[in-house]
Amino acid sequence: FAGLQLVFSKLTMFQSSNDTESKQGDSVAVANHVVLVGFGRVGAVIFKMLIAENIPVIVIEENKEIADRLNASGISCVYGDAQ
């Protein structure tokens, strides 16, 4: 988990240094969120770490069953391929 701790520390530094300016565009502006691509074994661990630190997360998941389950449980999830 040392690698995950490094990623998490970088995300925390990004969050604390990120300004709250949002960009206008075709999609909804979201500030100070982490976009987590994939909710597999590693994605679920990273998600739990972020939520434990009260960092808002939006998940992109290509498995429709997983995306539906996440949305049903109140987790913001977009079904689709992140490519």
Side-chain angles (χ1 to χ4, degrees):
F1 289 101
L4 289 178
Q5 290 173 339
L6 176 62
V7 169
F8 182 68
S9 69
K10 297 292 184 189
L11 288 172
T12 304
M13 288 185 331
F14 172 76
Q15 180 194 27
S16 62
S17 67
N18 190 18
D19 62 23
T20 57
E21 220 175 279
S22 61
K23 307 248 185 266
Q24 296 288 330
D26 293 335
S27 59
V28 176
V30 179
N32 295 325
H33 277 65
V34 171
V35 177
L36 181 61
V37 180
F39 202 82
R41 190 179 76 227
V42 175
V45 171
I46 293 171
F47 177 82
K48 288 177 185 176
M49 292 171 68
L50 293 169
I51 292 302
E53 294 295 322
N54 294 316
I55 299 172
V57 182
I58 297 175
V59 178
I60 301 175
E61 175 56 55
E62 66 180 351
N63 182 313
K64 182 154 177 37
E65 291 177 12
I66 294 173
D68 289 343
R69 188 179 76 227
L70 292 173
N71 281 315
S73 66
I75 296 171
S76 298
C77 181
V78 176
Y79 167 66
D81 190 343
Q83 290 185 6

